[in-house]
Amino acid sequence: MRQSDIEGLFPAVYRASIGEEGPLRALVAVMETMHELPERELDNFEATLHPRRTRDAFVPMLARWVDLAWLWTEARDASAGASGRPVLLEHVGLLRELVASAADLSQWRGTARGLVAFLRRATGLDEIELVESPPSETGEQQPFHVQVVLPHRANQPRLRALVTRIIEMEKPAHLTYEIVFANPTRS
């Protein structure tokens, strides 16, 4: 809001006494400064709600709106502090992509396609595969069991924790699973 707009909100008796200098002029200048940030946010409200264009600090709020808060709310470490930043995800860009694709992912929840898509977006790894009803050590198929196959480079505590958490939240309740790290293929 410009100073002239703010002055128009004052009663006539105050407007007449504003003048070029003085306490009322200083008050109007302070009011203009205080309105600047909220007005800028309102002017760009569409960008504020867009997961790929909003500021980093607002992405966790958008994640809560699409029910993705479980990615970090119970898994904070001391370095996250009160900021609530995700500690399992590598960076906020991955959370942005999950929020942007939340509607698409939710329609495939509980399916192999949905689980693989979620894991790929959350980890940034395209090499994730899912083997349904894999053979056991005795060669028999294991119904209601899946192997989540990750590339060997993903065998890190942070990624294992993230993958485990996603599988636990996204798989059907009756399904058992195991995480397998594939050895790199040599050509």
Side-chain angles (χ1 to χ4, degrees):
M1 220 173 200
R2 295 186 322 258
Q3 287 189 22
S4 59
D5 296 332
I6 294 171
E7 290 173 16
L9 298 173
F10 281 88
V13 68
Y14 286 116
R15 277 193 306 249
S17 63
I18 288 179
E20 292 297 318
E21 294 182 20
L24 282 179
R25 173 61 58 201
L27 177 64
V28 169
V30 167
M31 290 174 77
E32 179 184 42
T33 304
M34 290 178 71
H35 285 137
E36 186 178 337
L37 179 62
E39 287 180 0
R40 190 172 46 226
E41 290 294 325
L42 288 173
D43 288 343
N44 298 315
F45 194 62
E46 183 180 329
T48 299
L49 296 179
H50 195 287
R52 292 186 179 115
R53 296 189 319 216
T54 193
R55 8 180 249 283
D56 287 353
F58 198 68
V59 176
M61 174 64 77
L62 293 177
R64 282 186 205 97
W65 289 354
V66 295
D67 194 29
L68 293 176
W70 54 266
L71 281 169
W72 73 89
T73 52
E74 296 172 20
R76 291 184 184 185
D77 64 9
S79 65
S83 70
R85 290 179 40 227
V87 296
L88 289 176
L89 295 174
E90 282 294 315
H91 51 79
V92 75
L94 295 172
L95 185 58
R96 285 179 189 277
E97 288 306 311
L98 284 171
V99 171
S101 59
D104 184 49
L105 290 172
S106 69
Q107 73 179 344
W108 295 105
R109 189 170 188 189
T111 66
R113 177 181 177 175
L115 181 58
V116 170
F118 199 114
L119 287 169
R120 286 179 178 170
R121 285 197 177 106
T123 62
L125 300 170
D126 290 331
E127 306 93 348
I128 296 174
E129 296 176 22
L130 197 72
V131 179
E132 297 181 68
S133 300
S136 67
E137 292 177 5
T138 62
E140 297 176 26
Q141 277 198 315
Q142 301 176 75
F144 307 111
H145 184 77
V146 294
Q147 278 184 345
V148 179
V149 183
L150 300 168
H152 193 293
R153 72 179 190 277
N155 194 358
Q156 304 166 17
R158 182 182 207 144
L159 272 174
R160 277 195 310 271
L162 175 63
V163 168
T164 300
R165 189 167 184 101
I166 291 170
I167 295 169
E168 288 291 330
M169 294 299 293
E170 295 295 311
K171 74 173 184 65
H174 66 278
L175 193 71
T176 59
Y177 70 93
E178 62 184 302
I179 299 172
V180 177
F181 295 95
N183 288 325
T185 56
R186 296 178 191 239
S187 304

